[in-house]
Amino acid sequence: MTKLEFLDSFKSACDALPPDLVDTAVAGYERQFTDQFLSGLSEQSIVAQWGSPQHAALRLKLGTLNGNLKQVVNAEKVARVGFSGFGLLMLDLFLLIPGMAYLALLMTFYFCGALIYLAGIFQASASLAGVNFIDVPAYYFPGDMSLKGSTHVTIADIDIVPSDLAGNDEPDRARETPEQPAVRDASPLHERGIHIATHLDKRSIWKGIGTTLSGMLILVLCLLATRFTFRMVKQFASWHFSVLKSA
């Protein structure tokens, strides 16, 4: 192997190292080659002493790693990293409560968007099929779920109410007074079921389509907010590493 072949292979094996470091190593090989060639050694014997280009590149990488480790492990460096890490920890704790509040708000919008989307689909489908209500059987719900009170939810033209209150909700309302409202015992959801009813008219299908599109828009906005959140978290984590690295 000639000197030029060795150096070309050596540079290729050192492609992950800084260029100035590789140039310094190549200059060292050049000086060593010149000194030994002037002393009477042949080119092949000089290159043979250097070994393979891959092993030479590995020795350079290990030497660089050893130098970096020696630079990192010192008391002053450890102290700076420790103080920087403590400051970042305090900042993270300070941002924990706003972050949890933002996450809870985002999950709430996800839930509302999904509920509006499903309500719109039900309204449009019910209008096309001529179905005014759907009863969800009680055995579809876990046994540990319960409802307190009448729990009446209205979305557009859709009413969602526990099944056993769907037929006798009016008498209960009649017994309620401002001074003493009617009190209903909490009943397990798996014993009551859910009654979903819609009020159909000529515009129900268009209302259902509009409600569905509104729910889809909310979900898309939530997905965009989630993507933006992950990007910000990634940049925040990268900033942490850059602060610790530069400490």
Side-chain angles (χ1 to χ4, degrees):
M1 179 182 294
T2 64
K3 182 190 71 171
L4 293 178
E5 292 174 347
F6 177 89
L7 293 179
D8 289 340
S9 301
F10 176 76
K11 292 177 182 178
S12 299
C14 295
D15 55 349
L17 295 176
D20 54 346
L21 182 63
V22 178
D23 293 339
T24 302
V26 171
Y29 281 114
E30 291 282 2
R31 288 194 300 270
Q32 183 180 354
F33 178 84
T34 301
D35 294 339
Q36 293 184 0
F37 187 78
L38 293 177
S39 64
L41 295 178
S42 64
E43 180 178 7
Q44 287 75 15
S45 61
I46 298 174
V47 175
Q49 294 177 3
W50 294 344
S52 67
Q54 290 73 24
H55 287 169
L58 180 60
R59 289 195 300 269
L60 181 61
K61 292 178 182 178
L62 292 177
T64 303
L65 177 61
N66 185 39
N68 289 336
L69 290 177
K70 290 180 179 178
Q71 181 182 2
V72 172
V73 181
N74 60 75
E76 183 181 358
K77 183 73 173 180
V78 172
R80 289 201 303 268
V81 172
F83 281 117
S84 298
F86 180 77
L88 292 175
L89 178 61
M90 292 297 101
L91 177 62
D92 293 341
L93 292 177
F94 178 76
L95 296 177
L96 181 61
I97 295 179
M100 294 180 63
Y102 170 76
L103 182 62
L105 182 63
L106 183 61
M107 292 299 101
T108 302
F109 274 102
Y110 264 114
F111 177 78
C112 294
L115 193 62
I116 294 174
Y117 174 74
L118 294 176
I121 290 179
F122 173 74
Q123 185 177 11
S125 302
S127 178
L128 290 174
V131 178
N132 291 325
F133 69 90
I134 291 178
D135 285 322
V136 181
Y139 54 77
Y140 280 108
F141 301 98
D144 57 350
M145 295 182 64
S146 63
L147 293 173
K148 295 182 179 180
S150 59
T151 311
H152 192 153
V153 179
T154 301
I155 301 176
D157 292 332
I158 297 176
D159 295 329
I160 303 175
V161 65
S163 295
D164 62 346
L165 299 178
N168 52 8
D169 193 43
E170 291 300 328
D172 288 341
R173 289 182 182 177
R175 291 195 297 268
E176 294 180 0
T177 61
E179 293 78 13
Q180 185 171 357
V183 178
R184 303 184 179 91
D185 296 333
S187 300
L189 188 59
H190 69 283
E191 294 179 359
R192 302 172 71 173
I194 293 295
H195 178 81
I196 306 175
T198 183
H199 310 288
L200 298 179
D201 55 27
K202 296 180 179 180
R203 298 176 297 174
S204 294
I205 184 172
W206 301 112
K207 291 181 179 179
I209 293 175
T211 304
T212 302
L213 293 178
S214 300
M216 292 176 62
L217 178 61
I218 295 176
L219 291 176
V220 169
L221 293 177
C222 290
L223 290 174
L224 293 177
T226 302
R227 180 182 179 185
F228 175 78
T229 302
F230 276 111
R231 184 180 300 175
M232 291 296 101
V233 170
K234 183 179 179 181
Q235 292 181 0
F236 191 66
S238 300
W239 176 72
H240 275 59
F241 285 111
S242 63
V243 169
L244 293 176
K245 185 177 179 181
S246 60

